[in-house]
Amino acid sequence: MFCYQCEQTAKGSGCTRIGVCGKQPDVAALQDLLVYALQGFSQVAVEARKNHVASGGEGAFTCRALFSTLTNVNFDAARFVPMLNEVVERRESLKAALAAKGVSPAWHEAARLVPAADMAALVPQGEAVGIENDPETDADIKSLKQTVIYGLKGVAAYADHAEILGQENPALYEAVEGLLADTLRTDMDLGAWVQRALDCGNANIMAMELLDAANTGTYGHPVPTEVPLGATQGKAILVSGHDLKDLDMLLQQTEGTGINIYTHGEMLPCHGYPELKKHEHFHGHYGTAWQNQLKEFAAFPGAILMTTNCIQKPAESYLGNIFTTGLVGWPGAAHITENGSGKDFSAVIEKALAMPGFAQDEDKGSVMVGFGHNAVLGVADTVIDAVKAGDIRHFFLVAGCDGARPGRNYYTEFVEKVPEDCMVLTLACGKFRFFDKKLGDIGGIPRLLDVGQCNDAYSAVKIATALAEAFDCGINDLPLSLVLSWYEQKAVAILLSLLALGVKDIRLGPSLPAFITPNVLNFLVEKYDLKPISTPDEDLKAILG
């Protein structure tokens, strides 16, 4: 195997024996094969769109399948097989419809792929189309192609979240399919691939905007909310991942059961949504970020539900207590599937009722969430006045993924050292390095504002855009600095979105992507002033003077 799509890749260059994330070589091969099949399917889908041929649902399916290959989503090899077969079935259906119109182009071999009949043959088939066997010989073009593919995995994740809540955009699907099909081409120069990377960023802006509309349209705009970090006595279920609809269904199905629902990881911002927080048994937040789940899940005295991504190999001590749903999979973990009217979480509920739950109430303090764009822009006049009066000197967006690699304490120290006349906005699971810090307020506005999940980078963009309009300047002229951390491909998509918006002077860490070549990095440094983090003191001095 060879995989270097996440920040924690082995030796900073690539996992070759087993993934640092726990991904086995057979899963890596099947994921590579699925991506290859989707590249070919996209070529056919692009041609079908040109000729007004569609069998329905191609875009949503492409995003769902591509999302399943993102880091820490599905580790169950068997579940990739039916998805591969569906790619071929859908592809051949489109080909037949095109042929009926007299359209029969010369398809790339990826669009002619026939998956092997069994797992033993599928794995070498996947290995043959892996990154190391990419026919592209130009290292910089190969780097940008992989950047686009990884960015598209992030786009696909957000598009899938939105589709689950009934929000779709044909233009988004067209962009995803077009870019994925382009990754098969060998006739484009480096400049064209730079543009494709920016196009991927623009597609992600569409996806985040769509998801924001889906979340807020279904559950209301988040409002500032205090969330307990301690437990309350009684039975318990812990929900991790990102999916609001799964949480909503679980809250409805546990009404009156005596079970309290807790969030973990990126589900923390869910407490700010009016239609979710109205449930009295939606108690609080337990634990921190995804990489700490082995310790935190083992200590949780109830059932655990994993939605979307972020699962790690479950310890034997709690494998029987953890349930996956949606695209998430781990061999041996019970999986909750869709039925005709939604999902039946009775197995999760029965497990929670059979477990001891929390023996007593715990007071571990609280944190504030709910500072999405609607809430922040509601006090924009106060913020603008504070900036003009000199009460607020600078804004820092300290955001992104958390992870286990050493060096991430930088973000904790950075936030602790931000001067008292500056504000910190944060989003995604990187916040767990400092989310419980008491930074006080400026004129009644908390200095630490939790904007939401990783996809709520759209909220941060809206806030920055509104401030730029208020001060009659560009985003790069605002007293705003971005200090980002990355781990997986959604962070790649967000970075490409920021670059597509022309945002400059971004600090990125704790390490730079292994798939970025020196030449591509130099281009990003020269054009966008992208730079690696150094030390909190040095970076604060450089930013504030």
Short mmCIF file of all heavy atoms in Angstrom, two decimals, residues 4-6 139 142-144 146-147 150 486 492 512-517:
data_model
loop_
_atom_site.label_atom_id
_atom_site.label_comp_id
_atom_site.label_asym_id
_atom_site.label_seq_id
_atom_site.Cartn_x
_atom_site.Cartn_y
_atom_site.Cartn_z
N TYR A 4 -0.67 8.77 1.49
CA TYR A 4 -0.12 9.96 2.16
C TYR A 4 -1.15 11.08 2.19
O TYR A 4 -0.82 12.25 2.17
CB TYR A 4 1.19 10.41 1.52
CG TYR A 4 1.19 10.83 0.06
CD1 TYR A 4 2.37 11.27 -0.54
CD2 TYR A 4 0.05 10.79 -0.74
CE1 TYR A 4 2.41 11.68 -1.87
CE2 TYR A 4 0.07 11.19 -2.06
CZ TYR A 4 1.26 11.62 -2.62
OH TYR A 4 1.28 12.01 -3.94
N GLN A 5 -2.43 10.69 2.29
CA GLN A 5 -3.48 11.70 2.20
C GLN A 5 -3.75 12.42 3.52
O GLN A 5 -4.42 13.46 3.51
CB GLN A 5 -4.78 11.08 1.68
CG GLN A 5 -5.46 10.11 2.63
CD GLN A 5 -6.76 9.55 2.03
OE1 GLN A 5 -7.06 9.74 0.85
NE2 GLN A 5 -7.53 8.86 2.84
N CYS A 6 -3.25 11.94 4.65
CA CYS A 6 -3.50 12.63 5.92
C CYS A 6 -2.20 13.18 6.51
O CYS A 6 -1.10 12.84 6.08
CB CYS A 6 -4.21 11.72 6.91
SG CYS A 6 -3.14 10.66 7.90
N ALA A 139 6.34 15.33 -11.40
CA ALA A 139 6.06 15.27 -9.96
C ALA A 139 5.14 16.40 -9.50
O ALA A 139 4.29 16.19 -8.63
CB ALA A 139 7.37 15.31 -9.18
N LYS A 142 1.57 15.71 -10.71
CA LYS A 142 1.05 14.61 -9.90
C LYS A 142 0.65 15.12 -8.52
O LYS A 142 -0.39 14.74 -7.97
CB LYS A 142 2.11 13.51 -9.77
CG LYS A 142 1.64 12.28 -9.01
CD LYS A 142 2.71 11.20 -9.04
CE LYS A 142 2.26 9.95 -8.28
NZ LYS A 142 3.27 8.88 -8.34
N SER A 143 1.45 16.01 -7.96
CA SER A 143 1.16 16.61 -6.66
C SER A 143 -0.17 17.36 -6.69
O SER A 143 -1.01 17.20 -5.80
CB SER A 143 2.30 17.56 -6.26
OG SER A 143 1.95 18.32 -5.12
N LEU A 144 -0.37 18.16 -7.72
CA LEU A 144 -1.60 18.94 -7.82
C LEU A 144 -2.81 18.05 -8.12
O LEU A 144 -3.92 18.30 -7.64
CB LEU A 144 -1.46 20.03 -8.87
CG LEU A 144 -0.61 21.23 -8.42
CD1 LEU A 144 -0.27 22.12 -9.59
CD2 LEU A 144 -1.33 22.02 -7.33
N GLN A 146 -3.20 14.97 -7.04
CA GLN A 146 -3.56 14.37 -5.76
C GLN A 146 -4.22 15.40 -4.84
O GLN A 146 -5.16 15.10 -4.11
CB GLN A 146 -2.32 13.76 -5.09
CG GLN A 146 -1.76 12.56 -5.80
CD GLN A 146 -2.78 11.45 -5.98
OE1 GLN A 146 -3.54 11.14 -5.07
NE2 GLN A 146 -2.81 10.86 -7.16
N THR A 147 -3.73 16.64 -4.89
CA THR A 147 -4.35 17.70 -4.09
C THR A 147 -5.81 17.88 -4.48
O THR A 147 -6.69 18.02 -3.62
CB THR A 147 -3.58 19.02 -4.28
OG1 THR A 147 -2.22 18.85 -3.89
CG2 THR A 147 -4.21 20.14 -3.45
N TYR A 150 -7.82 14.84 -3.19
CA TYR A 150 -8.06 14.91 -1.76
C TYR A 150 -9.03 16.04 -1.42
O TYR A 150 -9.89 15.90 -0.53
CB TYR A 150 -6.74 15.08 -1.00
CG TYR A 150 -5.78 13.94 -1.25
CD1 TYR A 150 -4.40 14.13 -1.21
CD2 TYR A 150 -6.24 12.66 -1.55
CE1 TYR A 150 -3.51 13.08 -1.45
CE2 TYR A 150 -5.38 11.61 -1.80
CZ TYR A 150 -4.01 11.82 -1.74
OH TYR A 150 -3.15 10.78 -1.99
N TRP A 486 -4.27 21.06 10.17
CA TRP A 486 -4.94 20.13 9.26
C TRP A 486 -4.64 18.70 9.66
O TRP A 486 -3.67 18.40 10.35
CB TRP A 486 -4.51 20.38 7.81
CG TRP A 486 -3.20 19.76 7.43
CD1 TRP A 486 -1.96 20.18 7.80
CD2 TRP A 486 -3.02 18.60 6.63
NE1 TRP A 486 -1.00 19.36 7.26
CE2 TRP A 486 -1.63 18.37 6.53
CE3 TRP A 486 -3.90 17.73 5.96
CZ2 TRP A 486 -1.10 17.31 5.81
CZ3 TRP A 486 -3.37 16.68 5.24
CH2 TRP A 486 -1.98 16.47 5.17
N VAL A 492 -8.12 19.98 3.55
CA VAL A 492 -7.54 20.32 2.24
C VAL A 492 -8.54 21.12 1.43
O VAL A 492 -8.21 22.14 0.81
CB VAL A 492 -7.13 19.03 1.49
CG1 VAL A 492 -6.63 19.38 0.08
CG2 VAL A 492 -6.04 18.28 2.26
N LEU A 512 3.49 20.28 6.92
CA LEU A 512 2.93 20.51 5.60
C LEU A 512 2.62 19.18 4.92
O LEU A 512 3.25 18.16 5.21
CB LEU A 512 3.89 21.34 4.75
CG LEU A 512 4.11 22.77 5.27
CD1 LEU A 512 5.20 23.47 4.46
CD2 LEU A 512 2.83 23.58 5.24
N PRO A 513 1.65 19.14 4.01
CA PRO A 513 1.24 17.89 3.37
C PRO A 513 2.38 17.21 2.62
O PRO A 513 3.15 17.85 1.90
CB PRO A 513 0.14 18.33 2.39
CG PRO A 513 -0.40 19.60 2.97
CD PRO A 513 0.79 20.28 3.60
N ALA A 514 2.47 15.88 2.78
CA ALA A 514 3.50 15.11 2.09
C ALA A 514 3.27 15.09 0.59
O ALA A 514 4.22 14.87 -0.18
CB ALA A 514 3.53 13.69 2.64
N PHE A 515 2.03 15.31 0.15
CA PHE A 515 1.75 15.25 -1.28
C PHE A 515 2.04 16.57 -2.01
O PHE A 515 1.85 16.67 -3.22
CB PHE A 515 0.30 14.81 -1.54
CG PHE A 515 -0.74 15.58 -0.76
CD1 PHE A 515 -1.23 16.79 -1.22
CD2 PHE A 515 -1.23 15.07 0.43
CE1 PHE A 515 -2.18 17.49 -0.50
CE2 PHE A 515 -2.19 15.77 1.15
CZ PHE A 515 -2.67 16.99 0.69
N ILE A 516 2.48 17.59 -1.27
CA ILE A 516 2.85 18.86 -1.88
C ILE A 516 4.35 18.86 -2.17
O ILE A 516 5.17 18.72 -1.26
CB ILE A 516 2.49 20.04 -0.96
CG1 ILE A 516 0.99 20.14 -0.75
CG2 ILE A 516 3.03 21.34 -1.54
CD1 ILE A 516 0.20 20.49 -1.99
N THR A 517 4.73 19.01 -3.43
CA THR A 517 6.15 19.03 -3.80
C THR A 517 6.76 20.39 -3.46
O THR A 517 6.04 21.38 -3.29
CB THR A 517 6.33 18.78 -5.30
OG1 THR A 517 5.66 19.83 -6.02
CG2 THR A 517 5.77 17.44 -5.72
#
